[in-house]
Amino acid sequence: LSKPVYPVLSRRAGEEGKVVVEVRVGPDGGILGAEVIESSSHSRLDRAALKAAGQVSFRPATESGVPVESRMSVAYHFRLEEK
């Protein structure tokens, strides 16, 4: 997974939190869409998580060996002690 960029203003403000993003994965493994399903309560962190989720490629789900659209949840943790 792509690690999100910690927004500079969020670091300065001491903002931390967990963001859960649901992504729609296309049959080609590309992202068809993403939305925050669990907010960190900090809009900058939520936007950073959405951006990171949109830059990832996944292995598509399959049904009977055929790639299909699917959904999955991805959690991003923002902690100030991490660089």
Side-chain angles (χ1 to χ4, degrees):
L1 287 177
S2 177
K3 187 170 181 172
V5 175
Y6 212 125
V8 173
L9 292 177
S10 291
R11 278 192 183 278
R12 288 183 187 156
E15 296 173 350
E16 296 184 305
K18 173 181 154 185
V19 182
V20 180
V21 176
E22 182 180 79
V23 293
R24 287 182 32 235
V25 180
D28 65 352
I31 302 300
L32 300 175
E35 68 176 304
V36 173
I37 58 172
E38 185 181 318
S39 174
S40 66
S41 300
H42 302 289
S43 61
R44 285 184 291 256
L45 299 182
D46 292 353
R47 286 192 304 270
L50 276 173
K51 183 175 181 181
Q55 296 173 340
V56 177
S57 288
F58 292 91
R59 181 176 300 169
T62 59
E63 289 181 10
S64 300
V66 178
V68 295
E69 183 177 321
S70 62
R71 293 177 183 267
M72 68 177 298
S73 297
V74 181
Y76 293 96
H77 299 268
F78 293 88
R79 295 184 188 102
L80 290 172
E81 70 273 4
E82 295 178 1
K83 296 284 178 180

